[in-house]
Amino acid sequence: MIIAIPEPLQTVVTFAHPILMTLTLILALYAGYVGWQYRRIRSTEGEEKKALISKKYNLLHHNLGSVFLLLMVAGAIGGMAVTYNNNGKLFVGAHLIAGLGLTFLAALSAALAPILQQGKEWARSTHIAVNTVLVGIFVWQTLTGFEIVQRILEQMSKAS
């Protein structure tokens, strides 16, 4: 079932996904930075350690991760919904498959949080590895998304 979106909102709906996902990538990079700062606490001493602890990077990292997971799921569902609504079908290709994989990796990373809180080093290493892979794929997927946006813009300019 295709939903008729009023013309003034059509452009907003079409470009909401790429804008949301670009902001989500920026959030992921920031969350990684905050996680790195939190991890530095383990290797520092004295006043520097106290300063790092006072910034509560652990809570900020956890909260950013929660928002990131929400945005990844919303972005995956929203991107598929807009594509289907605009075209009457999904285009099964690298961008879609990578997006679904990224959503899985985000869920896997979040699922490790309770184990991380127990201090399990294997979970910490896995969390870091999963998120490193996730960000790498996310950057690549963002580039493929920009190609899709360019095609949409070309179609829009031809239709005008």
Side-chain angles (χ1 to χ4, degrees):
M1 178 175 112
I2 296 178
I3 299 170
I5 298 173
E7 189 61 40
L9 293 178
Q10 187 68 39
T11 303
V12 172
V13 170
T14 298
F15 294 106
H17 172 75
I19 292 168
L20 173 70
M21 297 317 292
T22 301
L23 294 174
T24 303
L25 175 59
I26 292 166
L27 175 69
L29 295 170
Y30 180 61
Y33 168 78
V34 170
W36 180 262
Q37 294 304 310
Y38 176 52
R39 186 162 173 80
R40 283 185 48 218
I41 292 170
R42 298 175 187 286
S43 62
T44 58
E45 296 177 4
E47 291 302 314
E48 184 181 3
K49 185 171 190 157
K50 286 180 186 176
L52 288 170
I53 291 171
S54 73
K55 294 183 179 177
K56 299 184 179 182
Y57 285 123
N58 58 336
L59 295 175
L60 180 57
H61 183 69
H62 183 81
N63 291 338
L64 291 171
S66 296
V67 172
F68 176 76
L69 177 60
L70 172 68
L71 293 175
M72 284 301 294
V73 172
I77 293 169
M80 289 185 293
V82 168
T83 299
Y84 185 81
N85 198 61
N86 287 348
N87 302 288
K89 65 180 179 177
L90 291 179
F91 299 101
V92 180
H95 189 79
L96 174 63
I97 302 302
L100 294 173
L102 288 171
T103 303
F104 167 77
L105 291 174
L108 174 60
S109 179
L112 291 167
I115 304 167
L116 288 167
Q117 292 171 348
Q118 295 171 10
K120 305 287 185 188
E121 191 56 38
W122 69 265
R124 191 169 323 287
S125 298
T126 303
H127 179 76
I128 292 167
V130 165
N131 287 325
T132 300
V133 170
L134 185 152
V135 168
I137 294 170
F138 202 172
V139 168
W140 171 79
Q141 191 196 26
T142 300
L143 297 174
T144 67
F146 287 151
E147 291 172 5
I148 294 167
V149 167
Q150 286 177 322
R151 285 196 303 265
I152 292 169
L153 289 170
E154 287 171 9
Q155 290 172 353
M156 291 173 81
S157 68
K158 289 177 185 175
S160 297

